Amino acid sequence: MASSSPPSTASSTSSSPYRKLLHSLIYWAVQRCRMSESPCRLTISVKRSPESACSSPLRISVSDTGVGSKLEEFLELDDLTREIPVEKWDGTLFITTTGINDKTIYRYQFNLQEDTSSSARFTKLATTSKICLCLSTEADVDDFILWLVGFVRKIFVLRASNLACELFVEQTASAESGHVCLSQDSDDVHLSITTSSIDRLVSGLKDYALSHGNTSDRDHLKIGTGAAKYVDKRKDKGQLVEVVIMIAHTSSDLSCWMTHCSSTQVLHFEDFVPCLISQSSFNVLTSIDWQSYGFKSKGGFMDDDGNAVLQWDNMAFAPTGTDQWRSSQPESYLVRKALKSALVGLKVDHAEDFLSCHGQRVREYVPDLAGSIAGLILSSNDQEFQDECIALLGLGSDQDLAEGTVRSCISEKMNRVIKMNDTKENVEHNTPYLFECERLDEDYIQLHDEDQDLIRDF
Amino acid sequence: MAGAGVASASLFGADRRLCSADILPPAEVRARIEVAVLNFLAALADPSAPAISALPLISRRAANRGLRRALLRDDVSSVYLSFASSRRSLTRASDGKPFVRVWKVMEVCYKILGEGKMVTQRELFYKLLSESPNYFSCQRLVNQTVQDVVSLLRCTRQSLGIMASSRGALIGRLVLHGPDEEHVDCSILGPSGHAITGDMNMLSKFIFSSEARYIIVVEKDAIFQRLAEDRIYNHLPCILITAKGYPDLATRNPAGLAILCTYKYGSISMGLESYRYACNVKWIGLRGDDLQLIHQSAYQELKPRDLQIAKSLLSSKFLEEKHRAELTLMLETGKRAEIEALYSHGFDFLGKYVARKIVQGDYV
């Protein structure tokens, strides 16, 4: 199920080798936790030593209580080492490991910059430490820490069962010292051991959306979920793609509308770890028929951090939530299937809000048309005609009806028809005519040319 | 006119292909509109399959148009429309606004007929513009929608309470006896002549008495006034009529022929009523032979718009042979000339020119 190449894609400017390295360490730690059947803890800590600010090394450690290391993990680290210059990282990795039945704790020092055949490459140690590496300062330590915080926050979104994740950042530079501590807030009462991963995702995403200030109301979020899987029984492997789409109603405050609502952030995970989205999956995202669900897509792009962003045009409300899915290098047809399933789910639950773009255009004419017919009915002095109309509309015939009442009744019925027929095939074919006509229509489209009156006569 | 009416009515009875609009009293038209509303609401409220009904409009495109040739002595050839209808539905892309427009015009006509009034298309435009500016931004849209309602309800424009605006004028050997006993001698009027009312009903109540042998239809108002000032009807027993051209066109000569064809056969845009108004006109001038009368400096190049009209006319199967020959000659020389070019021979030349042509029977 795993890949042997590092999970990175197009924008190389953003995925610095340090990030790739850390990503790899965290990825394998998460897989170890998943492998274990009992609750696990994953701890990431970053320490900046109190030496001169410009060249203080960063000590990063990743520790977990999972089981089972894999060869691929070390192969990957080997590859990544090559990308990092020696002056930035001397290639030293300290690994501490033990098992539940072991009486001792094993400590090793890994020198990845050394040759594979060298005996100095792998040494057993006496003192304890976790897997940690020391990097000389990255060009911008703050950026790196910011990225790491965002990364860990995304892990929190998954609310993976049996995984408690925390991040400690300690800066003890000379003038200032500060701590950042992030830990999973897994006190959502709705989550239990048996809650499915996709429901956990939904719960985590709600909090994520709230914390990003896109919405202030957890309960008015509209959510669509979808999944697609492929199982190869012979080879005993498969792929599973799960998608969650979250839409928030924005406030009516115009300034909020302008800044937040024209784009959607996509969170992408592979094997429960945040990951850069692949080009094929990104292509699926941008090529979906969003119009059928009322979204006017303006395309998308990869932002500076290598995340996918989708853009929208003139939305009355916008997907301020995010799409996300996970699998390992999913087949694009699975992604498309899961995404579509999520969109269909949204539409089924909230049909009025997700009318296709065409349906929305048609719906704009309804008030005027209803007003015209209502005006016609009420201007009549033929009581029988009026009574018959009122009866057809199902309104009470005893009182004097206001034009507004008749108009909204007609509007409501028309909107229902439009919603019912949205994106259905063969609707035109099945619509009845107002009057019976002698010959079935031959589908001429009435042109409204300027010169129609004279030129087209002859 | 009554004789022609019987002839055409019986022909329509025999020829089931021809679709026509009926002249109906206001109550009947209101009844048809009421049926439209009831059918619409019934479809909308249908418990098992609610729907927004589509409008069946008699197609006013070339493919649905034919020319009916005159068979009887008092009959004239005219354009007609057949029964193919085009479908207009609210939910089809770009049909939405035209669909709503039809209902809005029906609403206004229903109210007008209820009040027993008549309005011109211009007045109708201003009313719709004030109520629904998003739907009716120009006169053309109003006119087209009125024709849509005519083709939906199959009744004449006049029956809807809409009268033609009075743009026409006449002068000459005609005495009009109006319904209120007024008496107009059209041979003693000033050069602007007598304005023709657009109200068909009123027109039908006039009694005409005349000793004229010819009715001369003049395209341009300026020419009408010139001939009126010369009192051509004192030299020739005739009546001059003008509809002051066709307001939307800027060019003249090929369009002049097109205007003539409209008088002759009726128009497709009012195809359901054309048979009532077509008349057998002939073309006096300017024609190919008259070019020798005009100085070269008066020639003008044919513009792209002229060529477009000419091409459209030539491609029509209705065009008579002689007219076709004239048009082809015009295209070959690539030039046109205004009838005013004849003034180089003196301002009274035009009157003499027209009189000579008529007396010599030189018209096609």
Side-chain angles (χ1 to χ4, degrees):
Chain A
M1 177 158 79
S3 66
S4 59
S5 59
S8 67
T9 54
S11 59
S12 52
T13 49
S14 57
S15 21
S16 75
Y18 310 106
R19 296 189 191 185
K20 282 191 210 172
L21 186 58
L22 203 55
H23 182 283
S24 178
L25 290 172
I26 295 175
Y27 178 87
W28 290 111
V30 168
Q31 303 319 315
R32 276 195 290 273
C33 292
R34 286 181 66 206
M35 190 85 93
S36 156
E37 277 157 16
S38 45
C40 288
R41 170 171 297 278
L42 168 66
T43 307
I44 304 158
S45 100
V46 178
K47 273 199 194 117
R48 201 170 175 174
S49 318
E51 278 154 35
S52 80
C54 299
S55 59
S56 53
L58 274 179
R59 275 183 101 81
I60 304 174
S61 96
V62 177
S63 67
D64 66 87
T65 60
V67 300
S69 284
K70 288 194 176 164
L71 178 62
E72 286 97 331
E73 179 180 348
F74 297 100
L75 289 174
E76 203 173 282
L77 284 174
D78 220 11
D79 283 337
L80 286 170
T81 315
R82 291 176 231 278
E83 296 185 31
I84 302 177
V86 171
E87 20 346 319
K88 295 288 184 189
W89 177 41
D90 64 359
T92 309
L93 211 59
F94 294 99
I95 299 168
T96 308
T97 178
T98 186
I100 202 128
N101 295 322
D102 287 338
K103 293 200 170 96
T104 47
I105 296 173
Y106 301 95
R107 285 166 232 111
Y108 305 95
Q109 176 177 327
F110 228 141
N111 268 333
L112 285 164
Q113 294 280 13
E114 294 275 349
D115 218 2
T116 20
S117 55
S118 158
S119 58
R121 190 167 162 85
F122 191 77
T123 329
K124 207 163 172 176
L125 292 176
T127 52
T128 57
S129 55
K130 311 162 189 67
I131 287 191
C132 76
L133 47 95
C134 301
L135 304 172
S136 313
T137 46
E138 179 165 284
D140 200 291
V141 172
D142 294 326
D143 258 357
F144 180 78
I145 291 177
L146 213 62
W147 168 79
L148 185 58
V149 167
F151 189 85
V152 172
R153 276 227 161 91
K154 288 182 194 172
I155 297 180
F156 288 172
V157 171
L158 285 172
R159 299 257 162 106
S161 59
N162 287 341
L163 177 66
C165 180
E166 45 191 14
L167 169 70
F168 296 104
V169 179
E170 208 176 298
Q171 296 207 80
T172 52
S174 51
E176 47 186 271
S177 76
H179 305 259
V180 172
C181 173
L182 281 180
S183 65
Q184 181 102 46
D185 227 2
S186 52
D187 55 358
D188 188 333
V189 293
H190 301 292
L191 296 182
S192 72
I193 296 294
T194 51
T195 309
S196 70
S197 55
I198 204 165
D199 288 334
R200 291 173 170 275
L201 193 49
V202 168
S203 166
L205 199 52
K206 280 187 188 172
D207 287 340
Y208 186 83
L210 281 170
S211 70
H212 276 64
N214 288 334
T215 180
S216 52
D217 192 346
R218 204 175 194 269
D219 295 324
H220 278 111
L221 296 166
K222 297 188 169 55
I223 295 164
T225 63
K229 72 176 173 197
Y230 161 73
V231 174
D232 184 344
K233 291 201 178 104
R234 280 177 306 157
K235 294 185 189 164
D236 194 28
K237 31 181 216 182
Q239 286 188 349
L240 167 67
V241 178
E242 292 172 311
V243 175
V244 173
I245 303 179
M246 185 163 297
I247 315 280
H249 266 288
T250 57
S251 72
S252 54
D253 180 351
L254 190 67
S255 58
C256 165
W257 195 92
M258 293 303 280
T259 34
H260 290 296
C261 305
S262 59
S263 61
T264 290
Q265 190 189 1
V266 179
L267 295 181
H268 178 248
F269 300 84
E270 281 184 19
D271 294 325
F272 290 82
V273 175
C275 219
L276 295 177
I277 189 172
S278 70
Q279 189 62 45
S280 69
S281 300
F282 181 72
N283 291 345
V284 168
L285 266 184
T286 48
S287 65
I288 282 272
D289 177 24
W290 295 101
Q291 291 226 13
S292 298
Y293 305 94
F295 299 113
K296 291 182 207 161
S297 165
K298 266 199 326 195
F301 62 91
M302 308 276 219
D303 72 4
D304 289 340
D305 288 327
N307 295 312
V309 175
L310 298 174
Q311 291 183 302
W312 315 102
D313 197 15
N314 287 342
M315 298 292 295
F317 63 93
T320 57
T322 60
D323 298 354
Q324 41 189 314
W325 60 83
R326 54 202 174 164
S327 82
S328 54
Q329 295 186 348
E331 296 282 358
S332 50
Y333 82 91
L334 283 178
V335 173
R336 188 178 293 275
K337 195 170 160 196
L339 190 51
K340 263 200 138 166
S341 160
L343 284 168
V344 165
L346 261 181
K347 197 165 170 129
V348 161
D349 290 338
H350 310 280
E352 255 155 34
D353 294 319
F354 299 105
L355 211 56
S356 70
C357 290
H358 172 70
Q360 285 175 21
R361 274 194 293 271
V362 173
R363 200 171 52 181
E364 281 169 25
Y365 295 126
V366 166
D368 293 323
L369 183 54
S372 192
I373 297 177
L376 209 161
I377 296 171
L378 290 168
S379 75
S380 174
N381 46 22
D382 183 342
Q383 195 56 47
E384 218 178 287
F385 166 63
Q386 278 195 345
D387 288 344
E388 217 179 316
C389 290
I390 304 296
L392 278 170
L393 288 171
L395 295 166
S397 55
D398 43 353
Q399 79 272 55
D400 270 333
L401 283 166
E403 194 168 316
T405 318
V406 178
R407 184 177 60 225
S408 11
C409 180
I410 299 176
S411 290
E412 185 214 308
K413 289 193 184 331
M414 284 204 254
N415 281 331
R416 203 178 317 147
V417 172
I418 292 169
K419 196 169 70 184
M420 217 171 66
N421 291 337
D422 195 32
T423 67
K424 281 211 186 109
E425 305 281 318
N426 276 335
V427 168
E428 290 304 331
H429 198 67
N430 296 330
T431 308
Y433 275 114
L434 195 64
F435 298 123
E436 279 173 24
C437 42
E438 291 84 349
R439 201 161 100 181
L440 281 176
D441 77 304
E442 289 170 12
D443 251 355
Y444 295 122
I445 298 166
Q446 289 278 5
L447 295 173
H448 299 286
D449 289 332
E450 265 182 45
D451 307 317
Q452 187 189 26
D453 284 332
L454 200 63
I455 289 183
R456 295 201 191 275
D457 281 345
F458 300 102
Chain B
M1 235 1 210
V6 167
S8 43
S10 64
L11 269 171
F12 271 102
D15 191 343
R16 305 293 286 169
R17 290 174 304 150
L18 310 184
C19 186
S20 68
D22 306 319
I23 297 177
L24 297 172
E28 176 69 37
V29 178
R30 276 166 63 91
R32 287 194 185 184
I33 294 177
E34 285 170 5
V35 168
V37 171
L38 289 169
N39 286 354
F40 187 84
L41 293 180
L44 201 59
D46 185 312
S48 55
I52 299 176
S53 310
L55 305 174
L57 307 175
I58 294 290
S59 166
R60 303 196 298 279
R61 293 197 24 99
N64 191 30
R65 178 249 334 225
L67 180 71
R68 189 183 63 80
R69 297 247 174 238
L71 295 177
L72 305 184
R73 197 174 68 90
D74 289 332
D75 195 10
V76 290
S77 308
S78 67
V79 160
Y80 74 87
L81 294 178
S82 191
F83 281 98
S85 56
S86 72
R87 180 194 183 88
R88 186 173 296 171
S89 87
L90 182 68
T91 50
R92 199 204 301 224
S94 81
D95 254 8
K97 262 197 182 170
F99 185 94
V100 178
R101 279 192 209 118
V102 171
W103 283 101
K104 287 202 171 277
V105 167
M106 277 207 288
E107 182 198 352
V108 173
C109 290
Y110 187 79
K111 290 177 184 168
I112 293 169
L113 291 169
E115 293 164 19
K117 289 205 185 116
M118 294 280 294
V119 298
T120 62
Q121 283 193 149
R122 195 78 186 152
E123 288 167 336
L124 186 62
F125 167 55
Y126 280 109
K127 173 123 179 85
L128 290 165
L129 180 67
S130 64
E131 283 176 4
S132 318
N134 290 340
Y135 291 91
F136 298 98
S137 55
C138 65
Q139 180 73 53
R140 179 177 55 84
L141 287 172
V142 173
N143 298 354
Q144 275 171 0
T145 311
V146 166
Q147 291 308 319
D148 288 344
V149 176
V150 163
S151 76
L152 177 69
L153 300 177
R154 312 271 185 92
C155 67
T156 63
R157 185 174 65 184
Q158 174 94 1
S159 310
L160 288 173
I162 300 167
M163 59 182 176
S165 29
S166 75
R167 221 169 43 219
L170 63 80
I171 196 169
R173 301 217 203 155
L174 176 70
V175 180
L176 299 170
H177 304 273
D180 300 321
E181 300 303 321
E182 71 268 26
H183 189 91
V184 180
D185 180 356
C186 298
S187 61
I188 55 170
L189 298 172
S192 325
H194 173 82
I196 302 172
T197 175
D199 185 345
M200 256 28 121
N201 281 339
M202 175 126 44
L203 211 53
S204 61
K205 291 178 189 148
F206 275 88
I207 298 175
F208 304 96
S209 50
S210 173
E211 49 180 15
R213 299 288 307 281
Y214 314 101
I215 297 177
I216 302 176
V217 180
V218 181
E219 187 200 320
K220 292 197 253 187
D221 188 38
I223 303 296
F224 176 90
Q225 299 221 19
R226 175 85 262 137
L227 292 171
E229 271 186 25
D230 289 350
R231 301 203 185 272
I232 189 177
Y233 44 85
N234 286 342
H235 312 302
L236 205 59
C238 66
I239 300 170
L240 289 173
I241 277 187
T242 182
K244 298 178 185 163
Y246 201 94
D248 294 329
L249 295 176
T251 59
R252 289 294 164 219
N253 285 9
L257 183 57
I259 291 172
L260 183 143
C261 290
T262 307
Y263 278 106
K264 201 171 166 66
Y265 302 117
S267 69
I268 191 180
S269 51
M270 289 192 66
L272 293 173
E273 301 188 51
S274 288
Y275 72 95
R276 295 182 200 276
Y277 307 112
C279 51
N280 196 2
V281 305
K282 304 280 183 203
W283 185 12
I284 292 179
L286 284 176
R287 300 201 325 271
D289 289 343
D290 303 324
L291 289 175
Q292 54 184 311
L293 297 168
I294 294 174
H295 200 266
Q296 285 245 349
S297 57
Y299 289 3
Q300 295 165 6
E301 289 290 325
L302 283 176
K303 297 204 184 62
R305 181 69 179 270
D306 300 332
L307 294 170
Q308 212 180 358
I309 299 176
K311 232 171 55 171
S312 176
L313 281 167
L314 280 173
S315 67
S316 158
K317 45 191 192 264
F318 304 144
L319 204 57
E320 288 188 5
E321 268 319 303
K322 290 186 179 166
H323 293 173
R324 192 176 292 273
E326 291 284 345
L327 198 53
T328 313
L329 177 65
M330 191 189 305
L331 284 176
E332 274 167 16
T333 56
K335 303 239 192 275
R336 61 181 181 90
E338 300 287 347
I339 202 165
E340 286 92 332
L342 294 173
Y343 291 151
S344 62
H345 300 274
F347 288 111
D348 56 348
F349 185 76
L350 183 62
K352 292 180 194 161
Y353 162 85
V354 170
R356 178 173 54 79
K357 287 262 178 173
I358 289 176
V359 163
Q360 289 177 355
D362 184 7
Y363 38 81
V364 293

